[in-house]
């Protein structure tokens, strides 16, 4: 799934697309893939419902759009972008976000239509065994640098399995789930939202670039801060303003794909 998204993202960049469009497109592909915990693959909350968060940020203008606890749409990342471009606000939540989606002509889906069979299966297992600790935290994200020097980042999630209704993780919080600044870089985070937000993980990484680190050093640094300060489990992808790419994780795995010359690379772990 990541490699497919990276392949299409690269084609767009090669054709001169802007980073903002590229990260939205990449995340839409991941949202439609039930492998990932976002869009159609979203895990279910304690009430058995899909409730999603997403954020998109444009590093040229330091502008952003986010949606929180939104239900009944296939692609929250597109709604987040519309919040940024078509409202005077930066974040919309819950029913207000859903009403805005309807107003923009986005099809509204029932819970059944948005629930992947695997997500329902996992929910039933959770219900049967409340102590079960699912390891699935496959929030998805993308970061891109375009040929004009524009950097954008996007992140989308269904949150954590069996979360309380109304729970909000790191994803839609600016600087935690994503950050982008053309002067430094872009970052997108995945993992344990309750810990990621405590160290504002994505902004920690882009600030590190501002202090002279490249993308990989900044990713390593941000994850080290999260582990040392709050014992957090998660991962981050980073692109710096020079086009360097980095990723790091304290989780066992992180599915990533990237390209800087048209060749698509993929990995499940960072080998040091
Ligand atoms: N990182 C996604 C979440 O905790 O909701």
């Amino acid at each position: 799934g990541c490699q497919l998204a990276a392949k299409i993202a690269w084609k767009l960049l090669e054709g001169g697309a802007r980073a903002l469009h590229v990260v939205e497109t990449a995340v839409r592909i991941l949202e439609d893939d039930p492998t990932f915990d976002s869009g159609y693959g979203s895990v279910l909350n304690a009430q058995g419902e899909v409730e999603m968060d997403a954020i998109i940020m444009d590093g040229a203008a330091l502008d952003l759009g986010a949606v929180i606890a939104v239900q009944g749409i296939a692609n929250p990342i597109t709604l987040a972008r519309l919040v940024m471009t078509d409202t005077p606000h930066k974040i919309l939540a819950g029913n207000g976000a859903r009403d805005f989606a309807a107003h923009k002509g986005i099809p509204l889906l029932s819970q059944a239509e948005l629930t992947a069979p695997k997500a329902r299966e996992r929910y039933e297992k959770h219900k049967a065994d409340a102590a079960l600790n699912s390891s699935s935290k496959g929030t998805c994200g993308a970061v891109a640098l375009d040929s004009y020097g524009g950097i954008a980042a996007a992140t989308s999630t269904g949150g954590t399995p069996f979360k309380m209704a109304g729970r909000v993780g790191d994803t839609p919080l600016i600087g935690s789930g994503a950050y982008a600044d053309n002067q430094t870089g872009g970052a997108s985070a995945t993992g344990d939202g309750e810990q990621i937000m405590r160290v504002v993980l994505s902004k920690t990484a882009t600030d590190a670039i501002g202090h002279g680190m490249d993308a990989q050093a900044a990713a390593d640094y941000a994850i080290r801060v999260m582990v040392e300060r709050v014992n957090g489990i998660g991962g981050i992808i980073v692109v710096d303003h020079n086009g360097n790419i980095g990723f790091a994780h304290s989780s066992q795995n992180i599915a990533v794909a990237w390209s800087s010359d048209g060749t698509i690379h993929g990995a499940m772990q960072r080998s040091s």
Side-chain angles (χ1 to χ4, degrees):
C2 291
Q3 288 183 334
L4 174 67
K7 192 171 154 187
I8 291 169
W10 180 262
K11 282 246 169 298
L12 287 170
L13 286 166
E14 217 174 24
R18 298 274 177 184
L20 192 68
H21 173 59
V22 171
V23 295
E24 181 198 353
T25 304
V27 168
R28 282 181 66 101
I29 291 165
L30 300 169
E31 286 176 335
D32 291 342
D33 183 338
T35 309
F36 303 104
D37 174 18
S38 63
Y40 180 60
S42 291
V43 298
L44 306 186
N45 68 14
Q47 296 180 352
E49 293 183 340
V50 168
E51 199 166 71
M52 303 165 290
D53 303 325
I55 186 169
I56 191 163
M57 184 161 183
D58 175 4
L62 297 185
D63 206 0
L64 74 127
V67 291
I68 290 182
V70 66
Q71 296 192 317
I73 58 163
N75 297 109
I77 201 66
T78 292
L79 189 59
R81 185 174 178 184
L82 287 168
V83 170
M84 179 174 92
T85 55
D86 291 19
T87 80
H89 309 302
K90 303 298 179 205
I91 308 175
L92 284 181
N95 289 341
R98 192 179 147 98
D99 291 349
F100 176 59
H103 173 71
K104 297 308 287 184
I106 292 175
L108 297 184
L109 307 173
S110 67
Q111 282 292 336
E113 286 170 311
L114 202 51
T115 302
K118 242 171 141 179
R120 170 63 56 190
E121 216 176 276
R122 193 175 296 139
Y123 172 77
E124 297 302 340
K125 263 194 204 150
H126 252 280
K127 241 179 27 178
D129 178 3
L132 186 72
N133 184 13
S134 169
S135 60
S136 166
K137 287 183 182 166
T139 293
C140 70
V143 184
L145 167 66
D146 64 29
S147 49
Y148 318 98
I151 295 174
T155 311
S156 182
T157 190
T160 48
F162 233 70
K163 64 185 180 181
M164 291 171 68
R167 175 265 186 189
V168 179
D170 62 298
T171 297
L173 307 182
I174 179 72
S176 292
Y179 200 76
D181 180 348
N182 283 7
Q183 294 184 7
T184 54
S188 169
T190 178
D192 192 348
E194 277 71 11
Q195 314 314 331
I196 292 171
M197 67 174 77
R198 293 167 72 192
V199 295
V200 199
L201 191 69
S202 294
K203 183 72 159 63
T204 296
T206 56
D207 279 354
I209 296 169
H211 287 108
M213 293 186 198
D214 68 13
Q216 186 57 56
D220 288 335
Y221 169 75
I223 292 296
R224 201 164 58 241
V225 168
M226 180 169 71
V227 170
E228 288 176 2
R229 298 302 304 277
V230 298
N231 200 21
I233 296 175
I236 192 165
I237 56 173
V238 180
V239 175
D240 67 35
H241 61 110
N242 292 315
N244 299 303
I245 293 167
F247 69 96
H249 55 109
S250 59
S251 50
Q252 201 173 3
N253 296 304
I254 181 172
V256 289
W258 68 93
S259 183
S260 52
D261 59 5
T263 306
I264 308 297
H265 305 274
M268 286 296 289
Q269 284 171 350
R270 186 170 123 66
S271 50
S272 41

